[in-house]
Amino acid sequence: MELEAQSKVTQQLSCLVIDDQEIVRDIVVDVIEDLGIKCTQVGTNSNLTLSDVSKFDLMITDIRLGRDSMSGLQFLKMLREAGSQIPTLLISGFSFEEVEESCSPENLTLFLGKPFLPQDLIQSVQRILSLR
């Protein structure tokens, strides 16, 4: 019964996935939607506002998003300065040291290095959601 209740709760959640690589977005969305969390995916953060992001319960963003976007870290900093407390999972093929000061449970921000296994993504999402 506890699993059923947890499933009903996650079905009500939504996640914004931001990555400039479509294949990464597709994999992340497949894994997260298997948890019952509705996902919206975009390849850039350039047109996103605080109002757009505030519609979601969770954000997963790559740190390096290409030329048309500010970095995931810059975007997260902008959101935090505007008062957003959206739980955020930063993903990157680069080292944790690059983002270490931005990542903490108190800041509702965690890091997951690429490549990652589906179960690592699931555990990270469950952990970040438990901090809310």
Side-chain angles (χ1 to χ4, degrees), residues 27-44:
I27 291 168
V28 169
V29 167
D30 285 347
V31 172
I32 301 305
E33 287 188 340
D34 281 349
L35 294 173
I37 299 172
K38 184 177 187 234
C39 292
T40 299
Q41 60 173 301
V42 295
T44 178

Side-chain angles (χ1 to χ4, degrees), residues 9 11 20 22 42 44-46 49 51 61 65 70 72 74 84-86 89 95 99 107 119 123 131:
V9 170
Q11 287 178 0
D20 57 333
E22 184 176 3
V42 295
T44 178
N45 58 27
S46 62
T49 65
S51 177
T61 183
L65 291 166
M70 68 177 79
Q74 290 169 320
S84 173
Q85 290 299 310
I86 186 169
L89 180 61
S95 69
V99 297
N107 196 21
Q119 60 263 32
Q123 289 173 349
L131 301 174

Side-chain angles (χ1 to χ4, degrees), residues 115-130:
F116 49 79
L117 297 171
Q119 60 263 32
D120 296 331
L121 178 59
I122 290 168
Q123 289 173 349
S124 295
V125 167
Q126 290 171 334
R127 182 168 177 229
I128 194 81
L129 288 174
S130 74

